[in-house]
Structures are given as structure tokens and as C-alpha cells.
Amino acid sequence: MSLVSGPGRGGQKTNALPDELALAIDQHVKYIQQLDTRKDELQYWMTEHLRLNGVYWGLTALHLMGHPNALPHDQTVQFVLECQNPDGGFGAAPGHDSHMLYTLSAVQILATINALEELEKSKHGGGDKVAAFVASLQDRETGTFAGDEWGEQDTRFLFCALLALAILDKTDLVDVNKAVAYVKACENFDGSYGRIPGAESHSGQVYTCVGALSITKRLDLANLDRLGAWLSERQLPNGGLNGRPEKLEDVCYSWWVLSSLAMIDKVHWIDKTKLTNFILRCQVTMHESRSRTTLISIDRIPSKVAFLTGLAIWLMYSTLFSVLQA
């Protein structure tokens, strides 16, 4: 392993980005704005189960690009509240069953647009009702959380629960210590984490587990050097990041891996120039062929947000490094 910048593969200096690589902000903004106008397309209805998540992804991307008001505020709030059910939780779209994933997205959307108080106007109850729904899904014996009433358990749901409750200032409703102990039980010999104890290490699960430890201020329980080594090894020669060993790179891991490295202060263990170059090369503009093989197609909002959030983290850290070196 290279130890130039850390245990990863990106410890060597690289050339600056080619001049032609640039973020097509105007096209990304326009694309997000017109998504809800494509109701005559089959794909619009086939992805209804992602609708509320999609609003969050799109809204986050718009904020990162400096266009926080590109979506109508009142209509956004109205749609979110229409997704709430009598149990206090939120479904993916109006009429869908409540689930932890969509409930977190609802809370995040309202917090992002400074509209959390709108929850109190909901016919299904305010913030207390939402928090009660989230808390009801904790397994009081193990500390983990289910995604919904049917009982599937995963560290994703544990993270979503703690994040939603933290935003609502209601973490006192759950057994935080047991939740933290469960995360620790999901730690593997390589320092990373799986979705349940004994499960394979995966970058997405690392993000949720490290995020949970960060929210609860228990990062001291993680083996930061070993975890940082595993995460930095996700960078491949082309600069992209993969989710686990021997897998191909995917731009979505620019978020899962990079944000995890940021939380444990080891972003410098990978090559930022190579990653930024890779991310920008995955961009598809309206002038390019729709048949081009790429990781960010014009129809993949989750990857679009990973793409933008990855660049945003790099911008933040580059600015910090500049200040420190001044």
C-alpha cells in the first residue's frame, strides 16, 4: 500500500484537471426543475416509490449548486405533508405506506427549506407524532431499528432514525446507548461495517454506521486508522471509488466513501484531483449522446446528488487546506 497520503492508492500527485471539464450547473438545475412535468412517461410512474426521496435528492443538489429557491417552496411543503400517514410516518408518495427512509427524507426536506414548523399544521400530527413513529421502530433488546411495521432491520434504518430524531431534537425517545452498541457489533475485522452483525463490509453501510456514531458523538468507538485504510483502498487507478473490494467504481460512492472519510478526518488519504476528474468525466450534458456509457446519466438523480455532494465536499476541504497553508 502507498503511504504517501495514507494507506490508499491515491497517494501520488496528479496533474490539474483538463480545462474542458466543468460542472454544467444550468443544465442540472433545469433538469431537476422539469422532472415533475414528465407525467406522460412510464418511468415517472415506475419510480413513484422513490418520489419523496427524489425531492430530497433534487433539493439537495439545487442547494449545492447555489439555487436553493429553484423549486416552489409552498408546493414542496404541500407535497411532503400529503405523504404523511395517520401513524405519523411518511410514505414515498401520497397513499404509500410509512417507512423510515421516506420519513427521514420528509424531515430533511422541511429542515432544508426552513419549514419544520409546517409539521404542526399536518392533519396527522406534528413533530412529536413523527418522532413517536420513528421511535416505535426501535428493537429495545438489540438497539437497532426496523424500516417499517414489517420488521426488516438494517443499519441504514438505525442511521435514518437517529438523524431524523436529531433534527427534531427528540433523541431522548430512544435508547441511544443500545443503538451505539449495535453499530459497534456491526464492525468487522477490517474496521468497516455491514448492515447487520457479521455482514459483509460495504461503503454504504460504513456511511450509515459512521454517521450514527458521529450523531451520537461516539466516533471514539471506531478504529479510525483501520477504517480510513479500508475506505481509501476504495479508490481505483482511474480516480473513482468503489463500494467494496474487487468491484467497479461508481460515482455514487463519491458520496458514501468521501463523506465517511470526512467524518473521520481522513479525506487527505485519497487523491482529490483524480476523484474530481473522474466525477466530472461522468457528467452527461444535453449536447452528448444519450447512448454514451456513463455513471451519471441524465435520468439518475441519486447519482447526480452524489456527484454534486462529492464535489461540494472537495470544495469545502480545498478551501480549508488553502486557509491552513496560507
Side-chain angles (χ1 to χ4, degrees), residues 12 31 40 46 51 62 124 150 155 159 169 183-184 236-237 267 283 290 307 318:
Q12 54 187 348
Y31 171 74
D40 60 338
M46 292 292 289
R51 192 75 74 233
L62 291 170
H124 296 310
W150 305 111
T155 47
F159 166 72
D169 195 23
V183 171
K184 181 64 178 176
L236 301 179
V267 171
Q283 182 175 221
R290 291 293 293 272
F307 165 80
S318 296

Side-chain angles (χ1 to χ4, degrees), residues 150-172:
W150 305 111
E152 179 190 5
Q153 296 181 347
D154 189 312
T155 47
R156 290 177 300 155
F157 309 144
L158 184 153
F159 166 72
C160 289
L162 292 179
L163 180 52
L165 292 174
I167 294 174
L168 295 170
D169 195 23
K170 296 290 183 179
T171 54
D172 59 301

Side-chain angles (χ1 to χ4, degrees), residues 174-186:
V174 297
D175 191 328
V176 173
N177 290 331
K178 278 197 173 182
V180 169
Y182 187 85
V183 171
K184 181 64 178 176
C186 292

Side-chain angles (χ1 to χ4, degrees), residues 26 37-38 45 56-57 105 119 122 125 144 157 184 186 208 215 222 226 249 253 258 275 296 303:
D26 290 343
T37 67
R38 299 165 61 173
W45 300 105
Y56 168 70
W57 295 328
S105 287
L119 281 173
S122 170
T144 191
F157 309 144
K184 181 64 178 176
C186 292
T208 61
I215 291 170
R226 185 172 294 178
E249 68 283 346
Y253 295 114
L258 189 59
L275 177 58
I296 298 183
S303 288

Side-chain angles (χ1 to χ4, degrees), residues 48-53 79 83 90-94 96-97 99 102:
E48 188 178 48
H49 66 289
L50 296 173
R51 192 75 74 233
L52 193 56
N53 293 149
F79 176 75
C83 294
F90 291 78
H96 285 234
D97 292 341
H99 195 283
Y102 311 126

Side-chain angles (χ1 to χ4, degrees), residues 58-129:
L59 185 66
T60 299
L62 291 170
H63 275 72
L64 290 171
M65 293 186 292
H67 292 265
N69 300 314
L71 294 183
H73 180 277
D74 291 345
Q75 289 93 319
T76 301
V77 172
Q78 179 182 354
F79 176 75
V80 171
L81 296 183
E82 288 175 351
C83 294
Q84 190 177 24
N85 294 310
D87 60 9
F90 291 78
H96 285 234
D97 292 341
S98 296
H99 195 283
M100 186 74 77
L101 298 178
Y102 311 126
T103 300
L104 173 61
S105 287
V107 172
Q108 289 175 308
I109 292 168
L110 294 178
T112 299
I113 60 177
N114 298 314
L116 274 176
E117 69 280 358
E118 296 294 331
L119 281 173
E120 307 310 316
K121 301 177 183 179
S122 170
K123 63 181 180 180
H124 296 310
D128 289 346
K129 190 71 174 290

